[in-house]
Amino acid sequence: MPKNTITRYFAGSNTLYGFYSLFQYITTEKTKRFIMIKGGAGTGKSTLMQKISGKAQEAGLDVELFYCSSDPDSLDGLSIPALGFAIVDGTAPHILDPQVPGAYDEILDLGQYWDTAKLKPYKETIQQLYRQNKNWFTQAYQYLKEAGVVLEKLRWLMGQAMDYRAVDRMTQELLQQLTAALPAPKVNPSERRLFAGAITPSGFINHYPCILQKVKRFYLLTGEPGTGKSYLLERIRQAVKLAGHDLEVFCCPLDPKRLDAIIIPVLKTAFVKVTYPHTFALEPTHRIEEQTTIALNRYAKTSLLKQYAGEREENTERLWYLLGKAVEMLRSAKRNHDHLEKHYIDAMDYSHMAALQDKLLAELFN
């Protein structure tokens, strides 16, 4: 059997800012053909991408799969680097339009295969389902925004006990070691930003085991909010970028302006937060050459931690309550979306879809 690599990501996340898209990073400088699929719920967008993925894997090609944060069993996008091909769901909330129509990117409209006569009798029902879906997401994002405020309070409380000068000294030493290990710079280094995990209707999900499958050296970052994990990751990102090397950057699913992990491909090295919910277990066959834990809690003054212990415990409990409520709202939105899909599934002409699928597969794999 051909050996190929499957890597799973999220290109969008439900965050404290609402839905946050990193879909622009699905394509790379190697992408030559980019398809944006349009069409409502249940038109077969994810199914089409799964079919293309299966064919690529049969051919022994590496595949990148980008999952939907609102339905983690469905695909939002697919990339086959060896073919220079990418295809994504271009409907709301990640609306995309062609930038170089025909010559590079194109629209594939699955709505042309609807039988509108079957949809019109359910117009009011469909409108109501769309409205309800919007309401569930609005509530989810309200809870996530409030969770962000509580998390900032936790960071502040922890910050009262931290010796950030010591953290900075440790960071400087680490950066010196890291930059000394880097080879000569690349001519055109790239930085790709995605989500390793997401807040979904199924709770907190991450795909670290497959994202990290080529990494041999691990730096595992532990510590409570406010200990400086994101600060350390940002300093590493800046240093490697300045040194002229490719980076894979993974943003926090709750607050995408903060970082959760960085991979430096040229060194096969990763710096990763491993405090819950970022925990993961690598495959038993994964060979690790080096592993270092950076415990940032050790730079906190115990006496000051005790002083704020009550407030920290209270705010931690509040944080997880709010995140739980957000997941509950996302779960309701998913159930609502499933009802919406049924109307479109019943109205779709899947024989035309099958012909379209065969045509696209022939173009890609001939």
Side-chain angles (χ1 to χ4, degrees), residues 187-221:
V187 176
N188 294 305
S190 64
E191 179 179 311
R192 194 184 198 192
R193 289 182 173 240
L194 291 165
F195 294 102
I199 302 169
T200 80
S202 301
F204 301 91
I205 293 176
N206 73 60
H207 293 301
Y208 277 124
C210 68
I211 289 172
L212 299 169
Q213 59 190 305
K214 295 181 181 179
V215 172
K216 301 299 181 184
R217 299 175 186 84
F218 288 84
Y219 288 83
L220 307 178
L221 278 54

Side-chain angles (χ1 to χ4, degrees), residues 100-304:
V100 192
Y104 169 69
D105 43 14
E106 57 196 271
I107 288 177
L108 183 60
D109 181 14
L110 299 187
Q112 63 184 305
Y113 304 125
W114 288 328
D115 183 346
T116 55
K118 292 183 178 179
L119 291 171
K120 287 180 179 178
Y122 299 99
K123 177 185 173 183
E124 296 298 326
T125 301
I126 292 171
Q127 284 181 325
Q128 178 59 30
L129 287 169
Y130 273 115
R131 282 194 295 267
Q132 187 59 61
N133 222 46
K134 183 178 179 181
N135 289 341
W136 289 125
F137 276 107
T138 296
Q139 292 181 79
Y141 297 145
Q142 287 170 341
Y143 281 121
L144 292 175
K145 186 175 182 178
E146 190 177 351
V149 173
V150 175
L151 188 55
E152 192 57 39
K153 178 65 179 293
L154 280 168
R155 292 190 188 107
W156 184 86
L157 290 168
M158 191 68 189
Q160 304 312 298
M162 288 294 295
D163 183 351
Y164 287 125
R165 289 184 179 179
V167 173
D168 195 58
R169 287 194 296 271
M170 178 274 293
T171 302
Q172 292 286 5
E173 292 174 7
L174 182 62
L175 291 177
Q176 288 174 5
Q177 296 170 13
L178 180 63
T179 53
L182 289 168
K186 287 188 65 177
V187 176
N188 294 305
S190 64
E191 179 179 311
R192 194 184 198 192
R193 289 182 173 240
L194 291 165
F195 294 102
I199 302 169
T200 80
S202 301
F204 301 91
I205 293 176
N206 73 60
H207 293 301
Y208 277 124
C210 68
I211 289 172
L212 299 169
Q213 59 190 305
K214 295 181 181 179
V215 172
K216 301 299 181 184
R217 299 175 186 84
F218 288 84
Y219 288 83
L220 307 178
L221 278 54
T222 66
E224 295 180 42
T227 53
K229 299 186 298 296
S230 293
Y231 164 79
L232 176 58
L233 288 169
E234 180 58 29
R235 291 287 303 276
I236 292 165
R237 186 195 73 81
Q238 292 175 4
V240 176
K241 183 176 181 179
L242 189 63
H245 288 281
D246 293 345
L247 281 164
E248 295 176 19
V249 177
F250 296 93
C251 300
C252 171
L254 175 62
D255 183 355
K257 295 180 181 180
R258 291 177 176 268
L259 305 184
D260 274 355
I262 287 175
I263 297 177
I264 307 167
V266 70
L267 297 180
K268 295 184 178 180
T269 297
F271 293 81
V272 192
K273 293 180 184 176
V274 292
T275 50
Y276 184 81
H278 312 99
T279 48
F280 60 91
L282 297 174
E283 296 294 332
T285 55
H286 194 131
R287 295 180 61 186
I288 299 174
E289 294 179 3
E290 184 181 342
Q291 179 174 302
T292 303
T293 298
I294 302 177
L296 290 163
N297 267 19
R298 67 190 179 96
Y299 296 103
K301 299 173 184 177
T302 306
S303 59
L304 293 175

Side-chain angles (χ1 to χ4, degrees), residues 132-133 136 201 327-337:
Q132 187 59 61
N133 222 46
W136 289 125
V327 169
E328 185 181 316
M329 296 301 108
L330 292 173
R331 193 172 295 130
S332 295
K334 171 66 169 60
R335 286 194 294 265
N336 191 79
H337 187 267

